[in-house]
Amino acid sequence: MVRVPEAYRRLDRWIRGFSRGSYALLVGVTAGLSSLAVSALLGSPDWVFAVTMFVTLSAFNYWFDPNSERP
């Protein structure tokens, strides 16, 4: 059985290996689907908010590149 800290480290290494664009899309898709799921659980799904979250977070993560190794 894999321990949680080891699994986290493996997942973190895998995600940090993504290119700038792939990482930005992963963050955007995760945020968009999460916001859509929460809004669906709370009542009616808010598609506009989910798409806005996807576009905004993808663009910001691509633009600012939080995984860069620069100081």
Side-chain angles (χ1 to χ4, degrees):
M1 182 186 222
V2 178
R3 292 191 171 148
V4 174
E6 181 182 339
Y8 174 78
R9 280 191 293 274
R10 288 174 60 190
L11 180 65
D12 187 51
R13 269 194 311 257
W14 179 61
I15 290 175
R16 285 183 186 271
F18 284 5
S19 68
R20 184 179 188 173
S22 297
Y23 181 79
L25 283 176
L26 175 69
V27 170
V29 167
T30 303
L33 290 176
S34 298
S35 64
L36 185 63
V38 169
S39 67
L41 287 173
L42 294 177
S44 64
D46 190 356
W47 290 95
V48 174
F49 182 71
V51 170
T52 304
M53 289 293 288
F54 165 72
V55 170
T56 303
L57 287 178
S58 293
F60 282 159
N61 275 281
Y62 187 80
W63 185 289
F64 292 112
D65 194 17
N67 277 341
S68 71
E69 297 295 324
R70 294 174 293 169

